[in-house]
Amino acid sequence: MHIAVLTFDGFNELDSMIALGILNRVKTPGWRVTLACPTPTVTSMNGVTLLAQSTLVQACEADAILFGSGMKTREIANDAQVMSQLKLNPARQLIGSQCSGTLMLAKLGLLNEIPACTDLLTKPWVQEAGVEVLHQPFYADANVATAGGCLASQYLAAWVIARFEGLEAAKSALHYVAPVGEKEQYVDRAISNIAPYLPG
């Protein structure tokens, strides 16, 4: 099971790293989470440089792909060379986006007829791409999910875990990272945001 978190230059650390951290709470054999980047290294909006763990080509073969966000997402979404590498299939993959990553999903045609969540700065760009933007932190339709607001990345990660490993596994991962003294309330709130969008 490979989950790729797409991470580009100018990335928002909260979006990529929170998802990466929560997803890696799953210890099932064969479970692998990587930062997938277009170059060997990427530097965040605040100057943090990370090494890529997988390529965009490898990410396209992953079981789940999460689009992180960042200050250069609009530029990347209009870069035909980068976007042409992203050959995804929601019939066989879980695909999610965080904040401005939703713009990339829109540009790839993955949000046709599907409303989406994004951050307030990106909202007009996503609307300009013809997508209805919801005023909520998380939304999913079948295998495509979107989240809005940096800390909503926890919902995106929990959704992926719940889809692949079950709701109890998602609760366990969230419980681990939740603040002490607030764990039950934190987990309950997170699960209430994703539960309506889980199969069955």
Side-chain angles (χ1 to χ4, degrees), residues 156-173:
L156 204 55
W159 173 76
V160 170
I161 295 170
R163 289 291 308 269
F164 286 145
E165 295 292 317
L167 199 53
E168 290 308 311
K171 289 179 180 179
S172 176

Side-chain angles (χ1 to χ4, degrees), residues 125-199:
W125 304 338
V126 174
Q127 290 174 321
E128 189 177 86
V131 177
E132 176 192 355
V133 175
L134 303 170
H135 188 68
Q136 61 191 61
F138 180 85
Y139 178 82
D141 185 296
N143 288 345
V144 177
T146 54
C150 298
L151 296 180
S153 56
Q154 63 186 309
Y155 305 145
L156 204 55
W159 173 76
V160 170
I161 295 170
R163 289 291 308 269
F164 286 145
E165 295 292 317
L167 199 53
E168 290 308 311
K171 289 179 180 179
S172 176
L174 290 168
H175 190 272
Y176 182 89
V177 302
V180 171
E182 300 177 359
K183 289 187 179 291
E184 286 72 25
Q185 303 97 305
Y186 186 98
V187 172
D188 288 347
R189 187 185 68 215
I191 295 301
S192 72
N193 278 290
I194 67 167
Y197 308 106
L198 297 174

